[in-house]
Amino acid sequence: NACDAAEPGQEIAPGVRLFADIRDPQIKESSGVVASRRYPEVFWTHNDGGGPKKQVLYAVGREGNTRASFPVIGVTLHDWEDLAIDSAGHLFIGDIGNNDSKRNALAVYEIEEPNPQAGAERISPKRVWNLKFPGAPFDCESLFVWKDYGYVISKVFDNAHAQIFRFPLKETNRPLTLELVATTKIESPVTGADISADGTLLGLVAKNGAYVFRIDGDVTRVS
């Protein structure tokens, strides 16, 4: 509600400032968002959910206008929840949503970061990681990448603590079991995450607010 009433440049919460509204009517529920490390002033985003109409990657400028859109082909995304990025020109698609914990496995796909000036070219994943749960299935909406690992965060309820799991970004055709690496003090559903390019800071967004941890490259330091 604060965002609806605010103008770009206004502070909507302590330390949180609105800098643009996404204006594209095709982006009805922006879910994952990540800043490009290759193209200045470009942010990548997508709609929440799955199905052909939602398998589109959008390049949005800092002013809130869509600069390009790229249909994702060759795979079926069941519940696209988040995006991640590395410094080698790769984007990672997090097909990790698991409403009501009905899925027994998740998937993360790697694509080459497209050029926002290239128009509406179709893009397809180059690699995939199929992920198994180490125990009971859980919901998940957050993905980030640091060095040789991808990380997902459990979206928990009833005052349970959010947990961070990882998987190796290695070439494999076999499912990988997620490994628990940290249990946070956040007792609220976590819906987004990102890490600074140098690995110093990790930001998590939960229903009750935003959190920033100084980890200095060690994700296990989140507590």
Side-chain angles (χ1 to χ4, degrees):
N1 293 335
C3 291
D4 292 339
E7 296 292 332
Q10 289 184 336
E11 190 173 67
I12 60 173
V16 179
R17 190 175 301 278
L18 175 68
F19 66 78
D21 293 310
I22 294 178
R23 300 167 183 166
D24 191 333
Q26 298 301 314
I27 307 176
K28 298 180 179 180
E29 188 179 356
S30 173
S31 187
V33 60
V34 69
S36 174
R37 299 179 186 176
R38 176 175 291 183
Y39 303 103
E41 304 291 294
V42 169
F43 297 84
W44 298 104
T45 191
H46 61 91
N47 281 304
D48 178 82
K53 293 184 179 180
K54 294 185 177 181
Q55 292 193 187
V56 180
L57 177 70
Y58 296 91
V60 178
R62 193 173 182 86
E63 73 287 347
N65 293 326
T66 296
R67 299 188 181 183
S69 60
F70 303 88
V72 179
I73 63 171
V75 296
T76 298
L77 303 180
H78 299 280
D79 193 354
W80 188 356
E81 287 288 358
D82 204 5
L83 281 170
I85 195 168
D86 65 14
S87 297
H90 305 121
L91 289 172
F92 298 82
I93 292 173
D95 184 8
I96 55 177
N98 194 15
N99 295 328
D100 301 320
S101 300
K102 293 181 178 179
R103 299 174 67 181
N104 292 319
L106 309 177
V108 172
Y109 299 91
E110 178 188 283
I111 60 175
E112 297 295 326
E113 184 177 10
N115 185 339
Q117 298 180 346
E121 294 182 356
R122 295 183 177 185
I123 54 178
S124 58
K126 304 301 182 183
R127 293 200 292 173
V128 59
W129 294 272
N130 294 299
L131 308 175
K132 299 190 301 182
F133 298 98
F138 53 80
D139 195 8
C140 184
E141 295 187 3
S142 308
L143 170 71
F144 67 94
V145 167
W146 173 239
K147 291 190 173 180
D148 297 325
Y149 289 90
Y151 294 83
V152 298
I153 304 171
S154 60
K155 180 184 178 183
V156 294
F157 301 89
D158 300 323
N159 297 322
H161 292 262
Q163 295 183 307
I164 302 177
F165 298 80
R166 74 178 184 180
F167 62 95
L169 296 174
K170 62 182 181 181
E171 293 282 354
T172 180
N173 293 321
R174 303 178 62 181
L176 299 172
T177 300
L178 292 167
E179 175 191 3
L180 176 64
V181 295
T183 298
T184 76
K185 295 181 180 178
I186 302 174
E187 299 177 329
S188 179
V190 173
T191 59
D194 203 358
I195 192 168
S196 60
D198 62 1
T200 300
L201 301 176
L202 176 65
L204 307 182
V205 177
K207 185 176 181 180
N208 66 356
Y211 298 79
V212 178
F213 300 89
R214 186 177 185 90
I215 62 171
D216 293 322
D218 184 0
V219 177
T220 65
R221 295 184 63 180
V222 176
S223 60

